[in-house]
Amino acid sequence: MTKDYEGKLGIGQLILCLFAAATLVIPYAFEPMVFSFNNIMPIGDSVITATQTAYISAFLETLGLSAVIPEAIFNIIPYTIYAFYGIIAFDIFFTLILMILRVEVFRIIIRALSIILGFATLAVFLVSLVTTAGFFTYYLSGGFGEGAVIIDCIKNNGLLFFLGVTVFSIIVTVKQFSSFFGKSY
């Protein structure tokens, strides 16, 4: 491969990771304007974690699966957001390393880790998808209160953030299985 082609793959991977990390600046609520990074536990309060758990619980109750799903799952769910951003940080760091170092053994190790992280991002996608679906079941079950208007709930209860994470987690999943694993740069 030519060096120009190798650089383009790495630059594309970095741009994707930066866009995925930009989901932190998606507004969680518009009135008042609150960005998502203010609601993630290590930085601010854990509003996103509580919201995600409520939406998933509403979705599982609607399907009648709340009694079947073990309680331990709800202990793991809050960490999916942290796993998503950790994987993004992993991708940025190791893409830069792979662009600088041209050691094939290191590339093989990164490819193996990328497969494992691909399955982790697939799990993040599934949790985010259920969270997004749970928003609507939460709304329909009256979780936002009687007379709540759907557009106000969308603007002020984190749906746009969860949609952003859902979309970027599936894109990153595909990239985990293709960029690091399938191509050398």
Side-chain angles (χ1 to χ4, degrees), residues 36-112:
S36 298
F37 66 84
N38 288 331
N39 291 326
I40 292 182
M41 192 180 314
I43 297 171
D45 54 8
S46 60
V47 171
I48 287 179
T49 302
T51 304
Q52 187 177 33
T53 303
Y55 293 167
I56 290 173
S57 296
F59 183 75
L60 294 176
E61 286 177 19
T62 301
L63 294 178
L65 297 174
S66 59
V68 178
I69 303 295
E71 189 65 32
I73 295 295
F74 289 102
N75 295 333
I76 296 171
I77 287 173
Y79 297 107
T80 58
I81 295 294
Y82 305 127
F84 175 70
Y85 292 112
I87 291 167
I88 297 301
F90 169 87
D91 285 351
I92 290 172
F93 177 72
F94 283 111
T95 299
L96 289 172
I97 295 296
L98 288 176
M99 289 174 67
I100 295 169
L101 300 176
R102 308 242 181 228
V103 180
E104 191 61 31
V105 173
F106 188 66
R107 293 172 190 267
I108 292 169
I109 293 169
I110 297 303
R111 288 179 183 148

Side-chain angles (χ1 to χ4, degrees), residues 103-174:
V103 180
E104 191 61 31
V105 173
F106 188 66
R107 293 172 190 267
I108 292 169
I109 293 169
I110 297 303
R111 288 179 183 148
L113 287 173
S114 179
I115 293 171
I116 295 167
L117 294 178
F119 288 113
T121 55
L122 184 62
V124 169
F125 167 72
L126 293 173
V127 169
S128 297
L129 186 64
V130 169
T131 302
T132 303
F135 169 85
F136 295 104
T137 57
Y138 191 78
Y139 173 78
L140 293 173
S141 66
F144 296 117
E146 292 299 317
V149 180
I150 186 75
I151 196 72
D152 291 335
C153 294
I154 289 172
K155 291 187 327 186
N156 295 318
N157 291 300
L159 178 64
L160 298 176
F161 170 74
F162 291 119
L163 279 172
V165 171
T166 303
V167 168
F168 277 105
S169 63
I170 193 62
I171 293 170
V172 170
T173 299
V174 170

